[in-house]
Amino acid sequence: MISKYEFGNTVITDCVVEKLEASSGDIKFGFVEHKEPFCWTYKMDDKTKIFGLGEAVRGMDKRGFVYESWCSDVPGQHEGTKSMYGAHNFLIFKEKVENFTFGIFFDTASKVIFDLGFEKTNIVNVSVADTGVNVYIITPEKNRGKESALVNITRQFRRIIGQSYIPPFWGFGFQQSRWGYKTEADVKEVLKKHIENKLPIDSICLDIDYMDSYKDFSIDENKFKNLGALSKELLNDGVRLIPIIDAGVKLEDGYSVYEEGRENNYFCKKLDEKTDYVAGVWPGRSCFPDFLRSDVREWFGKKYQKLTDNGIEGFWNDMNEPAMFYSDESLSEALEQFETFKGQNLDIQSFFEFTKVSGSTFNQMKDYKRFCNKVTFANGEEKYIRHDKIHNLFGGKMTQAASEGLDKLLPDHRTLLYSRASCIGAHRYGGIWTGDNNARWNHLEQEIKMLPGLNMCGFLYSGADIGGFSELAGEDLMIRWMGFGVFTPLMRNHAAWDAREKELYKFEKVDVFRSILQLRYSLLPYIYSEFVKASVKNEMFIRPLGFDFEEDERAMEIQDQLMIGDGIMLAPVYKQNEYGRTVYFPENMTKVVWKNGKFECSKVRKGDLYVKMPLDSVVFFVRNKKAVPLFEPCNNSSSVKTDSYKLAGNGKSYELYEDDGFTKDIHLEGRIRNLSRR
Ligand code: GLC
């Protein structure tokens, strides 16, 4: 059951697609302290658990910290980071008494601060900075059969926000990426080495190096002489290119994308509502398409044709929080301040002041308050509004622009699309990756704990940069992270230009990486099938244990094991020099050990057990009475064959969803094949 409450005149966010009548009574749980600005408080008991918030650090249980919904460019995020790249305002409060378990969604374009028992252990305080909010309270349905309250509430939420994006089948294959593939030859080398080393691969990402002077929808023809020919050549080996597109458009006379944007007033404006707002990103001074406007989205979406004409069907959208190194204003302020330090004897105080100046231009709130976007309000009014009041919608609206454009450019094919910034609503148009992490063990742990929240909020197609974007990935970290990446829908090895070169063939234990990738391809039809079912049925592909075993208090406590699809339980190793771990089994299960491209099964009993997990193996578990099909490993998604398979687990059969991997007409009827034990 869902109740909607309206507070203030909201900006239309398009997060919710189902029309619901607003209720006039008092909010069902907690209480509204202020209407404008909105502030809601709720008293928890000692055992209340909080799930959700999508892309956020710390545990699966979010209790005990202050989070801020504010799309941020936060490289090297850590436990103290309040905001990530996405803003996802959905939570479930799990109370001991079932009737009190409820979901709550704050539908707003504004910044939201969630104090989840931080200032006071049992008090939740949610405050919305601006522009009004629609609050949705979701309680479990009575007639839900055996479904847990957590799964049921999530399903209802997902129904009102609309079906999650489904990538093409090839988007589930392994992606190799690096900021630093500078030429056609670099790209060909990656493929050559993968083939030589028998390392399966489906795509290679192009970072900003392929562009001419970092200009969107341009190609540096000195380095990429013929992108169309290159993408054709790679496709002969079943491999596709995935170029990056950034939010900022280089300000340069004669550059057609900039000229069109300027002439048609498509860019975000300064507060005078007339002058284009200018800020620095990769190409230097840039303007930002006002993605909140449908005409601007349509224009920008069409621009992808430059690349689709070259045979490209996959993209990643970046820097769309939007990230800004400086604005014209903040840069000149900083330069003026630097002047004042000239000739001074910098003592401790003044030296600290000095160091602050250089950081004073990067992604600053004062800059987000210096420009505006044109939006429509719930009362029909259309007007400019200061950017900081709608900041969280910007990146998601860029994803929408790309998705709608690609839909028209490639009417018969689903395309691959993922973004860095996001808001709920964007999950209908694309996936996300979780931004610039580091080659650290605790960033692997962070991903494990973050994915269930993202799934609750509809971002089923997600994953982190495997092995970390920055810093130096050791071989052991890479092996463990790849072993975990086997189970994430987006599986991409990406790195920064100054990070260690971590293409898999550059490590010593290439055979271990080969075996891991063979597992990914052996499971690919299962991953795809479970993913599509989860999207169609508004379910989560990745869940905390407590969602499946709600009655089991131990399961509810577990924060480092995951359920993957219908049949798999995972207990990843995420600590260095550990070659096994204690696993909690809420029921009897089958242990599967994958090594050298083959697997062996054995039984494990309900309860706690220390399970050995050597570095050369990937270990996972199959739920009681379930079966997981493993197919012949192969080199890429186009050579996957589903006629011969083996079932792991003690279940009798598995219902495999299959289609051509591209169709936009997604439905389960008539597409399910029963795979039974033979
Ligand atoms: C951003 C992205 C990163 C990319 C880099 C260069 O930092 O998050 O993935 O490699 O920009 O484009």
Side-chain angles (χ1 to χ4, degrees):
M1 158 119 184
I2 307 180
S3 314
K4 175 183 177 187
Y5 306 87
E6 291 175 346
F7 300 93
N9 187 18
T10 51
V11 168
I12 293 180
T13 62
D14 287 330
C15 293
V16 172
V17 291
E18 200 171 291
K19 272 234 159 306
L20 295 169
E21 282 306 313
S23 128
S24 52
D26 282 345
I27 205 156
K28 250 193 217 155
F29 294 93
F31 106 105
V32 176
E33 263 189 18
H34 300 283
K35 291 198 169 158
E36 284 189 54
F38 179 86
C39 178
W40 176 78
T41 57
Y42 175 68
K43 190 165 182 334
M44 301 184 282
D45 66 36
D46 294 341
K47 294 253 169 96
T48 307
K49 296 199 169 299
I50 310 174
F51 294 99
L53 272 196
E55 195 176 2
V57 299
R58 300 207 173 201
M60 292 180 194
D61 182 349
K62 291 278 169 275
R63 187 169 175 158
F65 191 53
V66 184
Y67 299 89
E68 294 185 4
S69 244
W70 177 260
C71 294
S72 302
D73 175 12
V74 275
Q77 62 290 151
H78 49 78
E79 214 180 282
T81 303
K82 291 182 176 170
S83 311
M84 288 286 287
Y85 301 87
H88 309 137
N89 306 333
F90 173 58
L91 305 158
I92 297 183
F93 289 85
K94 159 82 183 137
E95 299 291 357
K96 282 294 280 176
V97 188
E98 192 206 287
N99 292 343
F100 279 89
T101 293
F102 66 97
I104 186 160
F105 174 48
F106 301 89
D107 184 5
T108 176
S110 163
K111 176 174 185 168
V112 186
I113 298 176
F114 295 89
D115 177 336
L116 304 180
F118 178 73
E119 283 293 336
K120 293 200 182 120
T121 324
N122 284 349
I123 301 294
V124 171
N125 232 297
V126 178
S127 47
V128 177
D130 277 299
T131 69
V133 58
N134 291 337
V135 179
Y136 295 80
I137 298 259
I138 310 175
T139 48
E141 289 164 317
K142 295 231 155 54
N143 57 350
R144 61 177 200 275
K146 285 194 178 144
E147 191 166 85
S148 74
L150 292 165
V151 169
N152 181 262
I153 290 168
T154 306
R155 185 198 298 284
Q156 293 181 68
F157 173 61
R158 295 269 303 285
R159 191 192 76 221
I160 65 166
I161 60 169
Q163 193 184 327
S164 293
Y165 161 77
I166 303 176
F169 185 59
W170 66 267
F172 292 84
F174 175 68
Q175 301 175 23
Q176 177 56 47
S177 183
R178 180 177 178 85
W179 177 8
Y181 298 150
K182 286 193 178 351
T183 62
E184 237 176 75
D186 290 345
V187 172
K188 285 184 186 167
E189 169 81 1
V190 172
L191 177 58
K192 185 170 149 254
K193 292 284 187 205
H194 266 262
I195 294 174
E196 269 171 26
N197 288 285
K198 299 196 173 55
L199 290 164
I201 184 167
D202 254 88
S203 37
I204 300 173
C205 295
L206 296 179
D207 207 318
I208 47 176
D209 312 282
Y210 82 91
M211 298 179 191
D212 167 18
S213 317
Y214 308 126
K215 287 184 281 193
D216 274 345
F217 311 112
S218 75
I219 299 160
D220 183 338
E221 284 168 6
N222 292 320
K223 300 186 209 145
F224 289 85
K225 243 190 356 265
N226 188 338
L227 196 66
L230 177 67
S231 68
K232 222 178 190 170
E233 190 183 324
L234 298 189
L235 203 53
N236 286 335
D237 289 302
V239 172
R240 290 174 167 83
L241 289 170
I242 309 176
I244 195 169
I245 296 292
D246 283 311
V249 170
K250 183 174 188 188
L251 190 164
E252 183 182 272
D253 291 335
Y255 163 40
S256 65
V257 182
Y258 168 68
E259 298 263 356
E260 284 172 33
R262 188 190 58 198
E263 272 155 33
N264 295 296
N265 280 314
Y266 286 155
F267 295 130
C268 295
K269 299 288 179 194
K270 289 190 182 177
L271 300 182
D272 65 4
E273 300 177 6
K274 291 190 182 72
T275 324
D276 289 343
Y277 182 71
V278 178
V281 213
W282 308 121
R285 298 177 71 230
S286 304
C287 291
F288 297 83
D290 188 352
F291 292 115
L292 279 84
R293 285 168 46 185
S294 59
D295 54 340
V296 177
R297 287 199 295 274
E298 198 179 331
W299 164 71
F300 198 81
K302 279 189 191 149
K303 296 282 156 223
Y304 285 77
Q305 183 166 6
K306 170 82 185 173
L307 293 147
T308 55
D309 279 353
N310 283 290
I312 284 165
E313 301 197 351
F315 296 90
W316 48 312
N317 282 344
D318 191 22
M319 304 295 274
N320 48 359
E321 293 73 32
M324 296 176 175
F325 303 156
Y326 56 82
S327 67
D328 276 359
E329 293 83 356
S330 64
L331 185 61
S332 65
E333 285 162 13
L335 291 173
E336 261 171 45
Q337 280 179 12
F338 272 130
E339 281 292 317
T340 65
F341 293 99
K342 257 193 183 163
Q344 266 198 55
N345 171 24
L346 296 186
D347 62 5
I348 174 82
Q349 239 65 46
S350 47
F351 179 69
F352 280 170
E353 289 307 313
F354 171 79
T355 51
K356 269 195 227 153
V357 177
S358 63
S360 70
T361 68
F362 187 60
N363 298 326
Q364 291 297 301
M365 184 56 102
K366 65 180 180 205
D367 280 337
Y368 292 121
K369 288 186 175 172
R370 278 175 164 141
F371 67 102
C372 55
N373 296 77
K374 204 184 225 174
V375 297
T376 313
F377 281 83
N379 67 1
E381 210 183 344
E382 199 183 283
K383 61 176 185 194
Y384 279 104
I385 182 171
R386 215 173 62 198
H387 173 83
D388 60 298
K389 296 171 188 277
I390 51 81
H391 174 76
N392 286 339
L393 297 182
F394 190 83
K397 289 288 172 189
M398 181 185 182
T399 309
Q400 183 177 350
S403 161
E404 289 172 347
L406 291 166
D407 232 3
K408 289 185 195 126
L409 291 166
L410 300 165
D412 305 323
H413 271 187
R414 291 200 315 271
T415 47
L416 181 64
L417 182 61
Y418 51 91
S419 164
R420 196 171 74 173
S422 64
C423 56
I424 289 177
H427 71 286
R428 301 192 296 270
Y429 301 103
I432 56 171
W433 91 100
T434 53
D436 298 350
N437 56 1
N438 292 345
R440 298 187 187 184
W441 291 86
N442 64 1
H443 275 181
L444 168 57
E445 179 181 353
Q446 177 179 291
E447 183 189 10
I448 294 166
K449 295 182 174 172
M450 200 186 289
L451 287 170
L454 285 173
N455 273 254
M456 284 172 71
C457 296
F459 290 95
L460 304 185
Y461 190 74
S462 49
D465 288 350
I466 292 177
F469 172 71
S470 292
E471 301 181 338
L472 314 177
E475 184 174 69
D476 54 350
L477 176 64
M478 226 23 225
I479 289 178
R480 290 298 191 203
W481 210 324
M482 281 291 292
F484 177 66
V486 163
F487 302 92
T488 63
L490 167 60
M491 186 187 194
R492 184 176 78 146
N493 176 13
H494 178 50
W497 61 274
D498 56 352
R500 175 181 186 169
E501 295 191 355
K502 59 185 174 74
E503 286 75 15
L504 302 177
Y505 47 82
K506 293 195 169 143
F507 291 96
E508 215 181 313
K509 296 197 167 89
V510 180
D511 48 340
V512 175
F513 290 114
R514 182 181 312 116
S515 169
I516 292 174
L517 284 173
Q518 284 170 337
L519 174 58
R520 171 68 171 204
Y521 282 84
S522 172
L523 281 174
L524 212 59
Y526 169 80
I527 292 173
Y528 184 67
S529 164
E530 287 302 305
F531 185 101
V532 172
K533 288 183 204 168
S535 166
V536 170
K537 298 180 183 173
N538 297 321
E539 288 173 356
M540 293 157 71
F541 176 76
I542 298 183
R543 301 172 301 284
L545 261 55
F547 277 54
D548 288 28
F549 300 95
E550 201 172 30
E551 302 300 318
D552 180 337
E553 278 189 34
R554 268 302 303 289
M556 197 57 82
E557 295 293 324
I558 301 282
Q559 301 208 41
D560 62 354
Q561 297 179 205
L562 294 165
M563 308 305 301
I564 310 281
D566 180 48
I568 292 179
M569 185 181 83
L570 210 60
V573 174
Y574 53 89
K575 294 196 173 139
Q576 189 161 30
N577 303 326
E578 291 195 355
Y579 302 100
R581 54 166 287 179
T582 304
V583 182
Y584 175 66
F585 294 95
E587 61 183 17
N588 294 342
M589 291 195 185
T590 303
K591 177 171 92 170
V592 185
V593 178
W594 179 273
K595 187 178 163 179
N596 287 333
K598 296 194 171 58
F599 71 100
E600 274 178 15
C601 293
S602 55
K603 286 183 193 160
V604 274
R605 292 210 159 276
K606 180 175 157 77
D608 288 294
L609 184 71
Y610 179 84
V611 180
K612 284 192 183 150
M613 300 185 183
L615 212 48
D616 60 3
S617 312
V618 181
V619 179
F620 62 97
F621 310 96
V622 179
R623 283 194 62 176
N624 195 26
K625 303 204 176 108
K626 303 278 182 192
V628 169
L630 286 116
F631 302 85
E632 268 312 300
C634 58
N635 290 332
N636 54 48
S637 64
S638 52
S639 40
V640 167
K641 298 222 162 33
T642 57
D643 35 6
S644 87
Y645 58 87
K646 287 182 183 145
L647 293 183
N650 63 8
K652 289 201 177 71
S653 60
Y654 175 74
E655 312 251 280
L656 184 74
Y657 168 87
E658 278 180 302
D659 61 24
D660 63 7
F662 291 101
T663 178
K664 290 184 176 173
D665 175 26
I666 298 271
H667 54 84
L668 303 182
E669 304 76 46
R671 300 242 176 99
I672 303 279
R673 184 155 60 95
N674 192 277
L675 307 182
S676 51
R677 215 165 275 287
R678 347 177 241 203

